Amino acid sequence: MSGSELAALLQLCLLPGIGNGPRLRELLRRHGSAEAALNAPAAELGEEAALARGSTPILGRVRASMNALRRLDVQVLHESDPRYPGRLMHLEDPPPFLFARGRLELLARPAVAVVGSRNSTEYGESVARMLAGGLANAGVVVVSGLARGIDTCAHVAALEGGTIAVLASGIDVAYPRRNAALYERIARVGLVLSEAPPGTPAFPHLFPRRNRLIAALALGVVVVEAAVKSGA
């Protein structure tokens, strides 16, 4: 993907009413490229999006995003890319593209999600470590959400065998901050994925969307420990 095409793709994703979802997919399919879609008439793009197109705040975020992608050696996977995880295409609304940092080959291996409470018990943490470590030793990739508690234990136990962290934030935003070192370790020996543009904070409404990706990437989901109303 050329730099200008990537910049256009990022701008479209940041425009109000478009984002990294069905509207973006529709525009890309209709126009054949992000650059062409970005120049679509206001009636087609949406009045609010057309007004924001090319604005100083939007272009500033695009520049910052491009810099972050280069600095972190992030790969951008469009859904037509053979490396894009085919399992996501079973979703009702698969992201048109993903940001990925790390070992893309892990996407081709069987995976199981191990998730659970942030406010985990000592027993729950020991079970998460046992399950994730056993899966990793058997050649199964462990997918989780980098949250504190059960997610953290699962990632740490599976680091050597292969683990994927799916973020609710942008690919350059380690959340929670206490897991910044773990985020970097996974980026080196595992894989970090996000559908959100770089710089996106971990807004509450993004966690359910993150969770759907975790579930779709995995052959099964193990909820180790969670309250009745937990997101897990």
Side-chain angles (χ1 to χ4, degrees):
M1 185 183 300
S2 69
S4 58
E5 178 69 5
L6 177 56
L9 190 65
L10 288 167
Q11 185 171 173
L12 284 168
C13 189
L14 292 167
L15 292 178
I18 298 181
N20 186 14
R23 282 285 292 124
L24 177 60
R25 178 179 295 105
E26 178 189 346
L27 287 166
L28 292 176
R29 288 179 178 171
R30 184 178 301 169
H31 295 277
S33 73
E35 291 182 84
L38 188 60
N39 291 313
E44 186 178 343
L45 201 62
E47 293 296 334
E48 194 177 1
L51 285 172
R53 173 176 52 188
S55 66
T56 299
I58 291 290
L59 293 182
R61 284 201 62 187
V62 169
R63 283 192 295 272
S65 295
M66 296 282 283
N67 289 336
L69 296 179
R70 283 192 293 266
R71 184 179 75 253
L72 299 176
D73 193 26
V74 173
Q75 300 186 68
V76 181
L77 308 181
H78 185 264
E79 62 185 5
S80 63
D81 190 315
R83 301 170 301 171
Y84 185 96
R87 296 169 192 156
L88 296 188
M89 299 311 293
H90 295 289
L91 288 169
E92 184 177 329
D93 60 340
F97 64 94
L98 285 172
F99 300 99
R101 186 179 177 203
R103 297 170 54 202
L104 289 176
E105 66 267 22
L106 293 180
L107 292 171
R109 286 170 48 185
V112 168
V114 178
V115 298
S117 176
R118 291 173 172 82
N119 300 312
S120 51
T121 64
E122 186 176 332
Y123 173 72
E125 291 174 0
S126 68
V127 170
R129 286 190 290 266
M130 179 189 68
L131 287 171
L135 287 164
N137 288 337
V140 178
V141 174
V142 172
V143 184
S144 200
L146 199 69
R148 59 186 172 89
I150 298 300
D151 290 21
T152 294
C153 293
H155 284 308
V156 170
L159 266 175
E160 300 305 317
T163 188
I164 298 174
V166 186
L167 308 182
S169 56
I171 194 73
D172 58 333
V173 180
Y175 181 87
R177 289 302 304 167
R178 64 190 291 177
N179 274 352
L182 177 58
Y183 162 90
E184 291 296 341
R185 289 175 68 190
I186 296 172
R188 286 195 301 271
V189 301
L191 179 65
V192 181
L193 292 177
S194 175
E195 66 177 322
T200 303
F203 293 119
H205 72 275
L206 295 179
F207 285 91
R209 297 192 59 76
R210 183 275 310 267
N211 291 348
R212 91 193 194 290
L213 298 183
I214 291 175
L217 287 168
L219 298 172
V221 178
V222 179
V223 180
V224 174
E225 183 177 54
V228 173
K229 294 185 178 181
S230 154

